[in-house]
């Protein structure tokens, strides 16, 4: 599996066959609900099971992106947005928050005794591609894509 961290959004080559966008409170509960919704939509749209490798990758990537939006990307009283896209060959997760000046740091391996800072490293491992986009002065979107099947 090839992994890429992209700083500019690479437009999906094909239009989404399905899309869903919802807002969540910038709380731990909001992040948890976003993860649960992403996995539910993924399994409903694809017919794959909750315990499939792609569903687990969707859960992990969504949990990390939503958690980062809550911890590092929120302003008081502002929600984060979760957008899910089902594309012909992949599932795209987008989390938009209100701190465009706080971009994701470069992914580097962490010492074994570190208790935090591994989340984006996990996204790097489980997502086929991920990156971030800043389209305006008020928001940024961090996204990850998971292939629907394992072909390696």
């Amino acid at each position: 599996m090839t992994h890429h961290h992209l700083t500019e959004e690479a437009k999906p080559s094909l239009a989404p066959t399905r899309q869903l966008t919802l807002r969540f409170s910038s709380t731990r509960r909001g992040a948890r609900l976003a993860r649960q919704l992403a996995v539910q939509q993924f399994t409903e749209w694809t017919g794959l099971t909750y315990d499939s490798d792609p569903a687990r990758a969707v859960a992990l990537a969504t949990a990390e992106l939503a958690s980062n939006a809550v911890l590092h990307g929120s302003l008081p009283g502002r929600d984060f947005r979760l957008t899910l896209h089902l594309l012909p060959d992949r599932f795209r997760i987008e989390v938009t928050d209100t701190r465009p000046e706080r971009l994701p740091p470069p992914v580097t391996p962490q010492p074994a005794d570190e208790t935090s800072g591994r989340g984006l490293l996990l996204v790097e491992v489980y997502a086929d591609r991920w990156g971030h986009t800043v389209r305006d002065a008020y928001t940024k979107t961090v996204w990850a894509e998971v292939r629907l099947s394992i072909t390696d």
Side-chain angles (χ1 to χ4, degrees):
M1 194 179 306
T2 303
H3 304 286
H4 302 281
H5 171 239
L6 304 172
T7 55
E8 289 297 319
E9 180 178 13
K11 293 288 184 190
S13 58
L14 299 170
T17 59
R18 294 187 182 178
Q19 178 177 320
L20 175 69
T21 301
L22 290 172
R23 290 189 178 275
F24 292 90
S25 63
S26 290
T27 63
R28 291 185 331 178
R29 182 174 187 264
R32 184 177 68 251
L33 291 172
R35 177 188 51 82
Q36 292 170 339
L37 174 81
V39 174
Q40 174 65 35
Q41 282 303 137
F42 176 82
T43 60
E44 186 177 311
W45 286 348
T46 65
L48 295 171
T49 62
Y50 285 97
D51 62 349
S52 68
D53 287 339
R56 289 179 181 152
V58 166
L60 189 137
T62 305
E64 180 55 31
L65 299 183
S67 176
N68 281 351
V70 169
L71 293 173
H72 308 293
S74 65
L75 291 170
R78 299 287 178 95
D79 298 337
F80 70 90
R81 183 176 64 226
L82 173 71
T83 302
L84 306 172
H85 301 274
L86 178 62
L87 301 161
D89 63 341
R90 62 195 177 279
F91 190 77
R92 183 177 172 102
I93 304 137
E94 298 177 350
V95 175
T96 302
D97 67 45
T98 55
R99 297 298 300 266
E101 75 281 4
R102 289 191 174 178
L103 298 177
V107 175
T108 57
Q110 300 291 320
D113 61 345
E114 291 289 322
T115 59
S116 66
R118 292 192 189 100
L120 289 177
L121 183 61
L122 291 173
V123 172
E124 178 90 16
V125 170
Y126 284 95
D128 294 291
R129 297 178 346 134
W130 77 278
H132 63 273
T133 304
V134 177
R135 290 195 180 111
D136 58 43
Y138 308 104
T139 62
K140 80 168 170 299
T141 300
V142 183
W143 56 269
E145 294 180 348
V146 174
R147 277 187 298 184
L148 298 181
S149 65
I150 307 298
T151 57
D152 287 343

